[in-house]
Amino acid sequence: MLSVIKTAQDLATHRRNQGEVGFVATMGNLHSGHISLLKAAFKDFDHVYFSIFVNPTQFGPNEDFHKYPRTLENDVALIEDCLKAHPQKSVTVFAPLNVNEIYPADFKLQISIQDLNKILEGEIRPTHFDGVTTVVYRLFSLIKPSKSYFGLKDFQQYTIIKKMVKDMLLNIEIVGMPIIRETSGLALSSRNQYLSNEQKETALILFNTLTEIKNIIAESRENLPAAQKYIAEKLKDKNWDYLTIRETETLSENLDGKKSLVILSVYRQGQTRLLDNMQMDLK
Ligand code: AMP
C-alpha cells in the first residue's frame, strides 16, 4: 500500500497509532541507489516512510537548488514498482507541498556538527551540512523512525548524521548502505543527468582512481606512502576538489593506528561536482 502525504499535519495524523517504522530521506529524482535504501528498510519493517524534499537550506547561493530535478510523479511510480515485489509492505511518501511544511515562518533551529561540518565537502560548501542535519532532525522529529537508511555514497553526510544521533541521544539506528553503481563503475547520482556523454566517460576517473588507490594499499599500512604519492600525482589535475585517505570515524587525515579507512573524492565535470568514495580495512 502506498500513501502520499503533503503536509506535516497530515503526517502527524497518519503516524498516530502506528508501531515502529523505518525511514529513508531523499531529495527525489529517484534511481536504484535510492530504491536500494527502500528495499533495505523493507527487510526490517512492514511500514516505511520515504521523504522527497529538495531542501533549500543545504544548497549554497550559487548552487543548483532551482534546477535540481523534481520528478515526483515518476518517483512515486518507481516506489509503486518496488512495492509490487513486496505486496505485504506499506510506504508513506512524505513530499511536502512547500517549504513551510518543514520550515514554518518562525523556524529558528539550526543544528551544526562542529568540525566535521567544515572539512572536505564542508570546506567547499560551508553551509551545506548544517542544512542537512537540520532537515534530517526535523524529519526524524516528525516521523519518529526506529531506523533510518543512508547511502555510503555520501560518506561524510552519513558520518555527520551518525554523530548527530549520538550527540543528541536520539534513539534511532543509522544504517549505511553500499554505493549502487552503473556497470561502468560510475556511482548513481541524480546529478549524473547534468553530464554529457563525453563527461560521463571522463567521470569514470573517479571509480578507476579509487580502485587503483585501494589496489596500491592492498590492505597494508606499509603501502600508504606509495598511495599518498600516487594521490599527489593525480591532484595535478585541478578538476579534483579533493582526493584523500581518511579514517572512517572522524574523517581525520591522521591514520596512525587506524585500520578502517575511506578514500574520499570529488571530481568536477564542468559545473557538476561528482562525489565518490571507497572504504577499506588495513590488515
Ligand atoms: P539524495 O536524494 O541524493 O539526497 O540521496 C538520498 C539518499 O540516497 C542518501 O542517503 C544518499 O546517500 C543515497 N544515495 C544516493 N545515491 C546513491 C547510490 N548511488 N547508492 C546508494 N545510495 C545512494
Side-chain angles (χ1 to χ4, degrees):
M1 208 183 75
L2 177 83
S3 329
V4 180
I5 284 188
K6 304 229 165 179
T7 68
Q9 196 171 359
D10 284 353
L11 184 102
T13 314
H14 188 81
R15 181 72 184 89
R16 244 175 255 151
N17 308 321
Q18 285 170 332
E20 297 199 2
V21 300
F23 173 47
V24 176
T26 78
M27 298 206 298
N29 194 242
L30 303 184
H31 52 62
S32 347
H34 302 114
I35 297 298
S36 75
L37 306 182
L38 180 61
K39 286 180 181 162
F42 280 161
K43 290 212 168 100
D44 298 333
F45 297 95
D46 288 335
H47 199 119
V48 177
Y49 277 68
F50 194 106
S51 65
I52 296 179
F53 177 59
V54 184
N55 173 37
T57 64
Q58 70 190 69
F59 289 79
N62 299 315
E63 293 181 1
D64 56 344
F65 173 67
H66 291 291
K67 89 167 202 209
Y68 197 86
R70 289 155 172 88
T71 52
L72 184 59
E73 227 175 278
N74 213 40
D75 293 348
V76 169
L78 277 179
I79 294 172
E80 261 169 350
D81 261 3
C82 180
L83 263 170
K84 279 185 198 144
H86 302 84
Q88 71 287 20
K89 304 287 176 182
S90 72
V91 177
T92 302
V93 173
F94 180 43
L97 199 55
N98 59 48
V99 168
N100 290 348
E101 295 301 330
I102 300 292
Y103 304 116
D106 61 347
F107 189 76
K108 292 289 180 200
L109 179 73
Q110 188 179 65
I111 294 172
S112 301
I113 298 301
Q114 299 300 323
D115 302 337
L116 274 173
N117 65 347
K118 289 288 180 289
I119 60 171
L120 299 159
E121 274 308 276
E123 200 177 331
I124 296 163
R125 308 178 72 191
T127 57
H128 172 66
F129 286 117
D130 293 355
V132 170
T133 41
T134 304
V135 78
V136 170
Y137 180 78
R138 189 81 173 152
L139 291 165
F140 281 174
S141 305
L142 284 165
I143 293 163
K144 301 177 183 66
S146 302
K147 279 193 190 188
S148 189
Y149 303 78
F150 288 83
L152 294 173
K153 154 114 185 339
D154 299 283
F155 195 88
Q156 188 174 1
Q157 168 174 284
Y158 163 73
T159 306
I160 287 176
I161 299 288
K162 266 199 314 185
K163 187 78 175 99
M164 173 180 84
V165 163
K166 182 167 183 251
D167 287 0
M168 294 190 76
L169 303 172
L170 302 178
N171 193 17
I172 301 170
E173 186 182 335
I174 302 302
V175 184
M177 296 300 300
I179 302 173
I180 305 297
R181 300 177 179 280
E182 291 185 0
T183 40
S184 64
L186 182 65
L188 296 188
S189 163
S190 304
R191 290 187 167 106
N192 288 354
Q193 64 193 265
Y194 298 153
L195 302 176
S196 66
N197 285 340
E198 200 186 324
Q199 286 177 323
K200 249 183 137 181
E201 277 289 309
T202 314
L204 293 180
I205 194 172
L206 283 154
F207 181 70
N208 294 340
T209 305
L210 294 174
T211 307
E212 185 60 32
I213 297 169
K214 190 171 175 172
N215 288 341
I216 292 173
I217 298 173
E219 299 181 17
S220 167
R221 185 174 301 280
E222 278 172 20
N223 295 329
L224 283 174
Q228 299 290 14
K229 202 167 153 219
Y230 178 84
I231 288 175
E233 202 52 41
K234 285 280 157 191
L235 285 174
K236 288 181 183 161
D237 176 349
K238 293 301 167 204
N239 286 314
W240 291 104
D241 275 349
Y242 53 83
L243 173 64
T244 175
I245 309 172
R246 302 288 167 124
E247 68 87 13
T248 48
E249 282 297 306
T250 61
L251 306 185
S252 162
E253 275 176 294
N254 183 352
L255 309 180
D256 294 348
K258 303 293 181 189
K259 286 195 155 181
S260 172
L261 309 183
V262 58
I263 318 162
L264 297 169
S265 66
V266 170
Y267 192 80
R268 261 178 288 107
Q269 280 287 272
Q271 297 287 81
T272 309
R273 300 176 64 252
L274 298 169
L275 277 80
D276 204 345
N277 69 78
M278 218 172 261
Q279 281 183 267
M280 83 202 76
D281 289 323
L282 297 182
K283 273 188 265 187

